[in-house]
Amino acid sequence: MAFIRKRIVLPLFILCVISLGLFLGGFIVFSDHVSTLQAPDLTVPADGIVVLTGGYSRIEGALELLKNKRGERLFISGVHASTNRNELQRVTGGDATLFECCVDIDRSALDTVGNAAESVKWANANHYKRIIVVTNNYHIPRTMFELQRASRDIEFIPYPITNTNLRDGNWITRGLVVRVLLVEYVKYVGAIIRYQLPARLSDVTTSLLHRIKG
């Protein structure tokens, strides 16, 4: 019996150690990548701009791009149902005239998957083929993954919003930052795995990921 346990337990232990090493290694690579993301060269304007809600700094950054004519229209995805246009314009400090003429608001998207679906619908309705995507730097990988899953015909240009400068690599010493990055990394890995699973298992994985706050 001891021999059988040894033959089972030891390989499982080794597998767990290897899996943990790969997970931690992937997390470090992911964190270093998102903490050093920079704004793209937008010398040539895009057709439109999409911003995913999750912080007013994202919307403010997207409005600045719209003001500077980096895109024809702005699509704000995932706005809370109780937030009206005037309130959003006032809180973000956006120009009222610009808001009225060139900003579209989506209130149906509840998560990044929904943001991607609604953004693609908006782009297709406007016949846009080149879209600037504005969201926080740590959210860029998962956002781009979901958008590219939703459409292969549109060029998505990531525009990261950075609330905390982590380019010196000191993110690993900041507990709150590590937590945010770890949660987002788990969601990112989960999104990749989800699309490799059969439909039924994919639905279960999606349900579990929705329970992770953030």
Side-chain angles (χ1 to χ4, degrees):
M1 183 65 68
F3 176 72
I4 295 176
R5 284 202 301 268
K6 183 177 180 181
R7 293 198 61 178
I8 295 176
V9 173
L10 183 59
L12 285 176
F13 174 75
I14 294 173
L15 180 61
C16 288
V17 170
I18 293 173
S19 299
L20 180 61
L22 290 173
F23 179 84
L24 292 177
F27 173 61
I28 291 173
V29 172
F30 171 87
S31 301
D32 278 338
H33 170 64
V34 300
S35 64
T36 56
L37 285 172
Q38 299 185 43
D41 179 9
L42 297 175
T43 304
V44 179
D47 297 325
I49 305 164
V50 165
V51 58
L52 280 62
T53 55
Y56 289 127
S57 58
R58 300 182 185 183
I59 300 176
E60 290 167 358
L63 286 169
E64 188 66 21
L65 290 173
L66 181 65
K67 181 180 177 180
N68 292 329
K69 302 185 185 303
R70 297 302 89 189
E72 296 177 6
R73 298 189 67 81
L74 169 62
F75 182 67
I76 306 177
S77 179
V79 175
H80 194 276
S82 64
T83 304
N84 62 46
R85 176 183 290 270
N86 291 335
E87 180 183 356
L88 190 61
Q89 177 265 320
R90 185 177 64 256
V91 171
T92 58
D95 179 84
T97 303
L98 192 64
F99 231 90
E100 186 62 32
C101 81
C102 307
V103 175
D104 300 313
I105 296 176
D106 155 58
R107 293 184 174 84
S108 61
L110 301 177
D111 53 23
T112 305
V113 176
N115 291 142
E118 295 304 319
S119 297
V120 168
K121 288 180 184 177
W122 174 80
N124 288 335
N126 287 281
H127 307 288
Y128 290 161
K129 293 298 182 182
R130 191 166 182 264
I131 301 294
I132 299 170
V133 181
V134 182
T135 188
N136 284 97
N137 54 351
Y138 61 83
H139 194 217
I140 286 289
R142 185 159 59 99
T143 299
M144 296 301 292
F145 178 79
E146 297 291 0
L147 284 168
Q148 288 162 359
R149 283 283 307 180
S151 176
R152 296 289 184 180
D153 299 323
I154 300 172
E155 178 188 358
F156 299 105
I157 305 167
Y159 190 96
I161 297 296
T162 303
N163 293 328
T164 304
N165 186 2
L166 301 173
R167 292 179 185 173
D168 57 4
N170 70 349
W171 60 267
I172 200 168
T173 65
R174 307 174 68 169
L176 181 59
V177 173
V178 171
R179 178 185 176 279
V180 171
L181 291 173
L182 183 59
V183 169
E184 185 58 32
Y185 175 64
V186 170
K187 289 185 175 184
Y188 175 58
V189 172
I192 294 174
I193 292 174
R194 184 173 70 248
Y195 286 110
Q196 308 303 319
L197 298 175
R200 181 173 296 181
L201 287 177
S202 178
D203 291 341
V204 172
T205 305
T206 300
S207 177
L208 291 173
L209 288 173
H210 283 170
R211 296 181 183 180
I212 302 176
K213 185 178 180 180

